[in-house]
DNA sequence: TAACTGTATATTGCAGGTAAAAAACAAAAT
DNA sequence: ATTTTGTTTTTTACCTGCAATATACAGTTA
């Protein structure tokens, strides 16, 4: 096997989602733009849609013939890119304690177990190394440093430095800066979510990420913003793996966010520092509480 | 071609360096330990030394027959690992303005031009991306963000945050912590170097790196320490590429370091902050002055 | 003329293979 | 009993090749 066609399959599924209620499709470049894919892939999708009788396609004319059925979609697991597969598989090992801190990580073995090529696993590990959880011995194996309390503390220490600075910078943004409008929208989303948190608990993690990323972007510093990737990644898996107290934890975080947002609006540095610190402290606590000891 | 044997060649050369004045060599494991290589490579080295008449080798007995000659050494360019070659070649393009900010970087083209395989170049770019100079468009090319003033300012901003915190932590290290002894040694090296800086200008960059790394390590934070790699990398190339005013620049830095070291010894937080800030400010200035505008 | 389609070409993502280097294992020597 | 050597096995580093995808170019349509 060479490259897999997950880009095609995943975009095909998204196209099907949007197919209902339309009777024709726009031009190829427009579709490419919409789904973030090249015309080559657009044409592959259109070809398949024609072959499965979903549309007719003659040059500019692309007429919808019928609504897509469940069986028209590619199964979910076929739309995950190899990288996502490797990442999930690897994180599962780490978080379930399958691999203990200090242990060696073996590229060849990992590749065999995951069923991927050595190159892909290798590239994944190189990218992953920036999360501070693994370390390379040159010409030899990787070492798992582990998802430990130390790790969480070090992560949160840097986060605090970066986020305090970003929040301070946020307050200095000119009133007409689009970030303020984004903040309004995010605040509304918070208020909506807090009302029926029970049914929409899954929406918390992405909203949390959106809010903090907005704050970090105010730093205008690529290293600060890039580091937020690390935080988001860790918290993403933290939310996924540790569901205990999720409801109360999320509610508390949402309320702290609202307090934090109000502080940003006040533009008062001390008030901002207080609200930011309070939230980051409780985020750190929940992260550390969830770790094995 | 598969893997190259630069580990062997480079270690072989180091062995030759140490060969003079000895009449026998220690055990294989000991040699492996000393040069940071496996026994397999040690044995390859011993084999070659025997074949070229440098030693006799019978089990534990490894007797030196003659001093190594110039022609016994592998030429320098054969001891650079592929990664070093790619890195140098790539940095040359960036720093000579061969590639302008905003331009696309093409893995395949780069690989052809450097004469390396696509995988190696790809892995290099992934590792290199943490320096904040390039960015990946998934399924497509990389973008060069460029060695610009913005880049330097963002880098220095984070450096300041991290180093101030590290320096503060340094002052709190217990008196018997080995870092204080390391600091003594580094101070001595500074005083030695400042005396004949003209003839030993090449020694400045590694000493600078050693000093700042020692400070950063006091943070006890892997993200802070890892980030120092980025700084060291950038300054390394900065020193290499920009020789103008090198002499006065280095002398100033050395004196600032001595002042900074004295401040650390005083353990006075304000004094430390002053000395650290002063040095980081002048480091930032020299970095920015060197950039094209 | 500007946007679109048809087609050709280039690049990326990934697997497979191989020499270099590391690691593991067994036998021998202190 | 521990360390060293001889030998075998495994893994890493790297190149090549191929399908998926992106990009470039030429012809077509509004």
């Amino acid at each position: 096997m060479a490259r897999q066609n997950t880009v095609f399959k995943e975009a095909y599924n998204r196209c099907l989602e949007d197919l209902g209620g339309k009777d024709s499709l726009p031009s190829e470049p427009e579709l490419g733009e919409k789904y973030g894919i090249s015309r080559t892939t657009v044409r592959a999708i259109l070809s398949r849609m024609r072959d499965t009788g979903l549309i007719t396609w003659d040059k500019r004319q692309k007429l919808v013939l019928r609504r897509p059925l469940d069986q028209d979609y590619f199964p979910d697991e076929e739309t995950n890119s190899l990288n996502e597969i490797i990442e999930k598989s690897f994180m599962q090992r780490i978080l379930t304690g399958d691999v203990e801190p200090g242990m060696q990580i073996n590229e060849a073995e990992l590749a065999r177990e995951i069923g991927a090529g050595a190159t892909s696993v290798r590239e994944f590990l190189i990218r992953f190394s920036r999360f501070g959880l693994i370390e390379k011995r040159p010409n030899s194996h990787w070492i798992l440093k582990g998802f430990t309390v130390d790790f969480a503390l070090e992560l949160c220490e840097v986060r605090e430095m970066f986020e305090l600075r970003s929040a301070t910078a946020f307050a200095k943004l000119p009133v007409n800066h689009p970030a303020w409008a984004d903040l309004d929208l995010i605040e509304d989303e918070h208020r909506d979510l807090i009302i029926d948190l029970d049914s929409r608990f899954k929406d918390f993690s992405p909203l949390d990420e959106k809010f903090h990323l907005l704050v970090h972007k105010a730093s205008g510093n690529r290293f600060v913003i890039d580091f937020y990737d690390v935080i988001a990644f860790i918290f993403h898996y933290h939310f996924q793996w540790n569901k205990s107290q999720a409801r109360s934890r999320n509610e508390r975080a949402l309320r702290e966010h609202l307090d934090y947002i109000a502080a940003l609006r006040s533009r008062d540095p001390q008030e901002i520092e207080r609200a930011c610190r309070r939230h980051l402290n409780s985020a750190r606590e929940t992260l550390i509480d969830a770790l094995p000891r």
Side-chain angles (χ1 to χ4, degrees), chain A:
Chain A
M1 219 189 315
R3 195 172 176 169
Q4 356 109 295
N5 54 353
T6 53
V7 172
F8 163 72
K9 287 178 175 172
E10 194 269 343
Y12 184 83
N13 280 2
R14 276 189 291 148
C15 274
L16 292 192
E17 290 285 345
D18 296 345
L19 211 60
K22 281 187 194 152
D23 40 47
S24 74
L25 293 174
S27 75
E28 296 170 14
E30 195 174 323
L31 286 166
E33 185 70 22
K34 182 171 180 186
Y35 297 104
I37 55 180
S38 72
R39 255 189 72 219
T40 307
T41 307
V42 169
R43 287 172 68 85
I45 290 172
L46 292 172
S47 291
R48 187 183 166 97
M49 283 180 161
R50 184 188 46 203
D51 294 351
T52 54
L54 279 157
I55 61 168
T56 59
W57 178 26
D58 183 48
K59 309 202 169 164
R60 311 192 170 206
Q61 202 172 49
K62 311 172 190 81
L63 299 174
V64 176
L65 293 177
R66 63 174 177 85
R67 293 286 176 85
L69 306 168
D70 280 354
Q71 71 236 33
D72 288 318
Y73 289 86
F74 286 103
D76 265 0
E77 62 277 16
E78 289 182 27
T79 65
N80 291 110
S81 77
L82 183 56
N83 250 299
E84 290 166 340
I85 293 170
I86 296 175
E87 180 191 297
K88 277 188 187 141
S89 176
F90 184 75
M91 282 307 286
Q92 176 134 11
R93 277 152 214 268
I94 288 186
L95 289 163
T96 57
D98 224 15
V99 197
E100 303 263 306
M103 270 181 67
Q104 295 182 10
I105 299 166
N106 188 309
E107 288 174 8
E109 193 185 330
L110 205 59
R112 274 194 305 272
E113 287 176 15
I114 296 179
T119 313
S120 309
V121 169
R122 204 178 153 74
E123 286 176 8
F124 165 78
L125 291 170
I126 296 172
R127 269 191 305 271
F128 188 78
S129 64
R130 76 195 203 87
F131 293 107
L133 287 166
I134 59 174
E135 220 176 49
K136 174 92 178 139
R137 295 291 128 96
N139 294 316
S140 181
H141 52 263
W142 295 81
I143 300 269
L144 178 70
K145 299 179 79 182
F147 203 112
T148 62
V149 174
D150 278 348
F151 171 79
L153 289 174
E154 292 167 31
L155 182 78
C156 290
E157 184 187 8
V158 174
R159 180 191 195 181
E160 202 175 290
M161 279 191 259
F162 283 177
E163 189 154 344
L164 279 171
R165 176 167 292 232
S166 303
T168 307
F170 199 104
K172 290 182 184 141
L173 254 27
V175 269
N176 59 348
H177 193 286
W180 289 110
D182 293 339
L183 191 66
D184 290 342
L185 291 174
I186 286 176
E187 180 172 11
D188 291 343
E189 288 186 63
H190 273 72
R191 298 202 188 282
D192 288 348
L193 180 56
I194 220 164
I195 290 169
D196 43 19
L197 188 52
D198 286 314
S199 56
R200 292 176 52 200
F201 58 93
K202 272 194 168 175
D203 296 344
F204 172 73
S205 172
L207 182 57
D208 180 74
E209 184 173 334
K210 195 154 70 168
F211 171 59
H212 288 289
L213 182 57
L214 181 69
V215 174
H216 279 79
K217 277 188 174 159
S219 70
N221 188 309
R222 75 191 70 184
F223 298 105
V224 172
I225 297 167
D226 285 355
F227 187 76
Y228 186 67
D229 284 353
V230 181
I231 296 167
F233 179 87
I234 296 299
F235 274 83
H236 172 78
Y237 275 96
H238 163 60
F239 289 135
Q240 272 206 346
W241 243 255
N242 194 281
K243 308 275 196 205
S244 85
Q245 307 287 316
R247 157 75 216 229
S248 65
R249 185 176 71 195
N250 292 354
E251 183 170 346
R252 187 166 85 164
L254 287 170
R255 297 203 186 283
E256 285 171 0
H257 282 180
L258 287 170
D259 175 47
Y260 187 176
I261 291 170
L264 289 172
R265 285 239 182 70
S266 79
R267 294 169 179 256
D268 172 1
Q270 290 196 333
E271 180 58 15
I272 290 171
E273 181 168 341
R274 180 201 55 75
C276 179
R277 276 229 148 81
R278 184 164 80 110
H279 175 55
L280 293 182
N281 282 340
S282 78
R284 187 185 56 226
E285 294 311 320
T286 61
L287 181 61
I288 286 174
D289 281 347
L291 296 180
R293 237 157 313 195

